[in-house]
Amino acid sequence: MADRDRSVSPSVKLSYVFMKLGIDFGTTRIVVAAADRGNYPIVGFEAPDGAVQEWFPPLIAARGSQRLYGWSAWRAQEYPGWTIVRSLKRYLDQAGPQTEVHIADQTVLLGQLLSELMQALKSALVDRSTANLSTDEQVEVMLGVPANANTNQRFLTSEAFRCAGFSVAGMLNEPSAASVEFSHKRGGTNSRILVYDLGGGTFDASLVECNGGSHTVVASEGITTLGGDDFDTILAELALESAGVEQEERDGMTQAEWFRLQEECRDRKDALHPNTRRIIVDLERVRQEWAPVTILAADFYTACRPLVEETIHATEDLLARHAAGKEIDALYVTGGGSELPLVSRVLRERFGRRVRRSAHTRSATAIGLAIQAADTEGYALKDRFTRYFGVWRESEDGRSIVFDPLFAKGTGLPAPGEPPLECTRVYTPVHNVGHFRYIEASHCDESGNPQGDITEWDEIVFPFDRALQELPGISRVDVERRTAGGGLIRELYRCDSAGSVWVQISDLATGHQQTFRLGRWLRSDSPVTPGRKKKSTKGKE
């Protein structure tokens, strides 16, 4: 199972004094673009068959305590006894720093798996890529994240790359990075574009105003659980149904068999073109006694259409809220999932000639990230909060609870290298202990109440009573109201360019203070168990 001891030897390799990369960490592919003296080539990686591919697989293979990553994990699917984990990025939506993954009878922190995957990526950049990267060369990267990525998803992604030895210059929303690629290709002309980014595991839409080298993200929306993976699953279920495989036999499929079925269906889906009438799925690749089956392309598209309609609804909602009465110059289509011919058909039905498909559908984001990393084109991207981030507070002497939006949806994020955003609250406490409960919300109503997708985040405690400030175990002290006022408390919130939020709480009278990074800290006794994805029922009643 050891890798061959040789490097990629393409005819031309890239050369740098100081490596700067844009890295699109996708659900099904990691795409890397380099900043090379005004050019932004995609980095190629050697696959097990010796071919050079313009992507690196975010795969993990495990057998007992042994783990393989990337192309080594890809090759491990051919061997018995290995458990293959695909689409790892999808677990980040509900993950925290203490989230564990149960894989091959082992329980491992998700953050550790991510870090090891990025270490494998860096090793591949050195030994098996066109990047010509030396072992000790410093690498500065700009990372892409989904537009609706929450605080912890951004932190876990950034931390994994840092632990792997990359220098993280910043993070951009994926559709925002695609808008940079769009403007670069068109010479930085003024335009108002809507980026439609349907990737392998997520969908994002961003409305971006481009004014020369300045890009302002007006608003973003997205669906964190919808992407090309779901199309693969639908085709897999149709193939099993056509082959007459009963549910009991499906449930008995091994994890490796299901992985091979998903890969076969992905290959068949990626080979589709607008004139395709029939799809042949080779089930013998999954299990030798199974024969190939034929699926009508029309039946596959009918099953996929509700998912595509979901992306259209999200896009139209974004336009209705933030671009009513204003014309958009182009709807720019990126992401591997958008290559499904049905997607282009539906988009043109709704948006007509404004639809512009990127010539680099799978790599537009990485190219935009590399342009931003180079910082030589004069592109200044102004990204924004995609959700409300705030804390619950008491009001009316404890008779009601209100939401305090510390950072409102649409608030501009600082650019990489700029000072963090700051938000301050100063008050006289009426409790012995402060119990802070933070949430993120996709929307708020006219009264400021959180609505839509609401995610519970951190819970922290801080001693307001000076007699408690030096005591351990403050979290076990009961919260009590006091009739007499205490000292003056200041909450200082900071948010960096990656969207990570920190709070420093201080008792201004005693000088006692504590600093917390805010995020979703899931319990470690609830491990994630990767397994077969069920057929999606999104959009169906």
Side-chain angles (χ1 to χ4, degrees):
M1 296 295 297
D3 285 342
R4 290 167 290 174
D5 186 20
R6 63 186 181 87
S7 301
V8 178
S9 299
S11 56
V12 178
K13 280 201 172 190
L14 312 175
S15 60
Y16 308 87
V17 175
F18 178 78
M19 182 76 74
K20 290 190 177 184
L21 302 175
I23 300 182
D24 179 13
F25 171 30
T27 305
T28 56
R29 297 182 178 190
I30 297 175
V31 181
V32 181
D36 183 23
R37 296 160 293 188
N39 298 308
Y40 305 96
I42 300 300
V43 174
F45 296 90
E46 184 188 23
D49 61 2
V52 176
Q53 301 287 355
E54 293 186 336
W55 52 283
F56 184 82
L59 292 177
I60 301 173
R63 186 174 62 185
S65 60
Q66 186 178 4
R67 292 191 291 273
L68 301 172
Y69 296 88
W71 287 114
S72 296
W74 181 279
R75 191 166 63 246
Q77 66 177 301
E78 303 172 7
Y79 299 87
W82 287 87
T83 298
I84 310 296
V85 178
R86 68 201 298 268
S87 304
L88 186 67
K89 181 180 176 181
R90 275 197 157 176
Y91 300 115
L92 295 179
D93 180 48
Q94 294 297 320
Q98 301 303 317
T99 298
E100 295 177 332
V101 177
H102 187 71
I103 173 175
D105 297 324
Q106 301 285 316
T107 300
V108 189
L109 283 173
L110 176 59
Q112 180 180 342
L113 291 178
L114 283 172
S115 296
E116 291 173 358
L117 173 62
M118 300 319 164
Q119 287 167 10
L121 171 64
K122 190 171 185 185
S123 295
L125 285 167
V126 172
D127 298 326
R128 300 178 177 280
S129 83
T130 60
N132 198 28
L133 178 67
S134 62
T135 304
D136 57 352
E137 186 172 358
Q138 186 176 359
V139 184
E140 186 175 275
V141 298
M142 186 70 67
L143 304 177
V145 291
N148 274 316
N150 56 49
T151 304
N152 264 21
Q153 186 168 350
R154 294 170 187 270
F155 173 79
L156 287 169
T157 301
S158 177
E159 192 69 7
F161 277 89
R162 285 195 175 96
C163 290
F166 293 95
S167 174
V168 179
M171 306 178 77
L172 296 181
N173 291 343
E174 291 159 1
S176 305
S179 75
V180 173
E181 185 266 343
F182 177 86
S183 287
H184 174 72
K185 180 175 62 177
R186 292 176 176 260
T189 57
N190 297 346
S191 57
R192 185 180 180 88
I193 66 172
L194 180 64
V195 180
Y196 176 101
D197 181 9
L198 180 59
T202 60
F203 168 72
D204 289 303
S206 287
L207 185 62
V208 183
E209 291 184 347
C210 306
N211 184 7
S214 175
H215 293 60
T216 301
V217 179
V218 178
S220 295
E221 292 292 347
I223 305 172
T224 59
T225 56
L226 194 158
D229 266 10
D230 298 290
F231 301 148
D232 302 338
T233 300
I234 287 173
L235 184 56
E237 295 288 354
L238 289 173
L240 293 174
E241 182 179 336
S242 178
V245 179
E246 300 294 337
Q247 188 62 50
E248 183 178 354
E249 191 173 6
R250 298 186 198 189
D251 293 339
M253 289 173 60
T254 66
Q255 196 274 346
E257 288 176 330
W258 182 252
F259 176 83
R260 292 195 294 271
L261 176 60
Q262 290 283 93
E263 291 302 310
E264 167 66 13
C265 290
R266 179 182 297 168
D267 290 344
R268 301 286 72 78
K269 179 201 68 178
D270 289 348
L272 292 175
H273 55 79
N275 296 323
T276 300
R277 296 292 177 264
R278 292 177 174 81
I279 307 169
I280 299 175
V281 180
D282 185 8
L283 292 181
E284 189 177 10
R285 178 178 173 183
V286 181
R287 190 178 288 182
Q288 287 188 348
E289 60 267 28
W290 287 354
V293 297
T294 300
I295 308 297
L296 292 178
D299 292 341
F300 176 50
Y301 292 155
T302 297
C304 292
R305 188 161 188 125
L307 302 187
V308 179
E309 290 287 350
E310 277 198 66
T311 69
I312 300 298
H313 294 328
T315 302
E316 291 177 333
D317 287 346
L318 176 64
L319 289 175
R321 285 197 300 271
H322 301 283
K326 299 180 180 179
E327 191 71 18
I328 62 169
D329 297 297
L331 186 146
Y332 195 49
V333 182
T334 67
S338 70
E339 293 183 348
L340 187 72
L342 174 67
V343 174
S344 292
R345 184 192 311 166
V346 174
L347 286 174
R348 292 193 182 278
E349 288 173 2
R350 302 295 179 88
F351 298 99
R353 295 182 179 180
R354 289 175 294 176
V355 176
R356 301 286 186 273
R357 175 172 293 280
S358 173
H360 311 283
T361 309
R362 295 180 181 271
S363 55
T365 295
I367 294 171
L369 291 167
I371 294 170
Q372 193 74 16
D375 196 28
T376 58
E377 298 288 340
Y379 291 105
L381 181 62
K382 300 176 181 178
D383 228 326
R384 297 176 181 269
F385 266 85
T386 58
R387 303 183 185 190
Y388 291 89
F389 189 95
V391 62
W392 294 114
R393 298 193 190 276
E394 286 188 4
S395 69
E396 299 178 357
D397 291 328
R399 292 190 297 273
S400 65
I401 299 293
V402 297
F403 176 61
D404 178 9
L406 302 166
F407 296 106
K409 182 176 181 177
T411 301
L413 291 173
E418 289 185 351
L421 296 180
E422 290 192 352
C423 170
T424 304
R425 301 288 188 268
V426 179
Y427 53 87
T428 299
V430 295
H431 296 91
N432 62 332
V433 172
H435 182 192
F436 299 86
R437 288 155 291 179
Y438 296 90
I439 68 168
E440 282 188 339
S442 59
H443 300 89
C444 282
D445 63 18
E446 294 180 357
S447 300
N449 299 312
Q451 302 289 323
D453 179 15
I454 299 175
T455 305
E456 298 287 341
W457 289 95
D458 229 341
E459 292 191 28
I460 63 175
V461 293
F462 181 87
F464 292 149
D465 188 334
R466 63 187 61 188
L468 301 174
Q469 290 178 353
E470 302 302 327
L471 294 180
I474 186 66
S475 61
R476 295 189 294 271
V477 175
D478 292 335
V479 178
E480 300 175 353
R481 290 184 65 84
R482 301 185 299 189
T483 55
L488 202 61
I489 298 298
R490 182 187 67 188
E491 301 169 19
L492 174 59
Y493 295 90
R494 291 189 174 95
C495 176
D496 62 18
S497 60
S500 295
V501 181
W502 303 75
V503 59
Q504 182 187 79
I505 307 178
S506 306
D507 184 328
L508 298 181
T510 66
H512 180 77
Q513 66 179 33
Q514 290 179 262
T515 301
F516 305 86
R517 189 187 71 80
L518 302 179
R520 189 169 188 265
W521 303 82
L522 294 186
R523 292 170 52 181
S524 59
D525 59 355
S526 302
V528 174
T529 303
R532 165 182 162 174
K533 261 178 55 51
K534 299 296 183 183
K535 182 178 179 179
S536 176
T537 57
K538 289 179 178 294
K540 298 181 180 181
E541 297 295 333

